[in-house]
Amino acid sequence: PLGGQGLLRVSTDLDPNEADPSVTPITELDEEAGEVSHGWPVLLPDEASIVFTVGREDLDPRLAWMALELEKRELLAPVDRSAYYLDSGHLVYARRGEIFAMPVDSSEQEVTGPARLVTSGVASSTVAKDRKKTNV
């Protein structure tokens, strides 16, 4: 995550006449909501949506789901860092020493049930701001 900006898309279609690939913004920070960074994006199997972490000033970071075409996002759950998508249809993420699994349907772009505790007593760390640990 880069403090002070949203997510960027880098084109893989390189034109041999161009020195740099095309870079376009995907998300913008909602500064009124206290957002300070977007990071750790995961492209879901539908390839039409992503899950990423929203760092927030003086608030817990949140997992967000966004439909790329609609540019509409929904905050899902508090997280320490990134989430991972499993073939079982779950987003797995850490939060304050615990691992959770949240069932999702990526084709419908929706959460299909409550997050469940998988295990506890694991080491995790929180989102850092400007390379300093932020208490969240």
Side-chain angles (χ1 to χ4, degrees):
L2 299 173
Q5 72 181 59
L7 299 174
L8 304 172
R9 177 180 294 167
V10 179
S11 174
T12 58
D13 298 325
L14 299 178
D15 182 338
N17 298 322
E18 291 183 23
D20 297 318
S22 173
V23 177
T24 55
I26 295 176
T27 65
E28 291 184 21
L29 299 180
D30 182 349
E31 293 177 359
E32 289 182 18
E35 293 183 3
V36 295
S37 66
H38 293 166
W40 296 293
V42 175
L43 181 65
L44 296 176
D46 64 6
E47 296 188 6
S49 59
I50 59 173
V51 172
F52 61 98
T53 301
V54 176
R56 305 178 311 155
E57 184 74 37
D58 299 326
L59 297 168
D60 291 343
R62 294 283 172 157
L63 194 59
W65 189 326
M66 186 177 98
L68 293 171
E69 188 173 296
L70 301 175
E71 298 181 11
K72 177 185 168 192
R73 68 175 182 247
E74 175 185 359
L75 295 179
L76 300 177
V79 296
D80 285 345
R81 284 199 182 256
S82 60
Y84 299 92
Y85 179 81
L86 303 180
D87 290 338
S88 65
H90 291 84
L91 291 173
V92 177
Y93 57 92
R95 177 71 178 145
R96 295 190 175 165
E98 298 178 320
I99 303 288
F100 293 90
M102 178 185 297
V104 297
D105 181 339
S106 68
S107 64
E108 295 295 322
Q109 299 176 355
E110 67 183 14
V111 175
T112 59
R116 298 191 187 263
L117 178 66
V118 174
T119 191
S120 59
V122 297
S124 65
S125 63
T126 56
V127 174
K129 178 184 167 200
D130 297 328
R131 298 184 188 202
K132 296 178 186 172
K133 186 175 179 181
T134 301
N135 294 325
V136 292

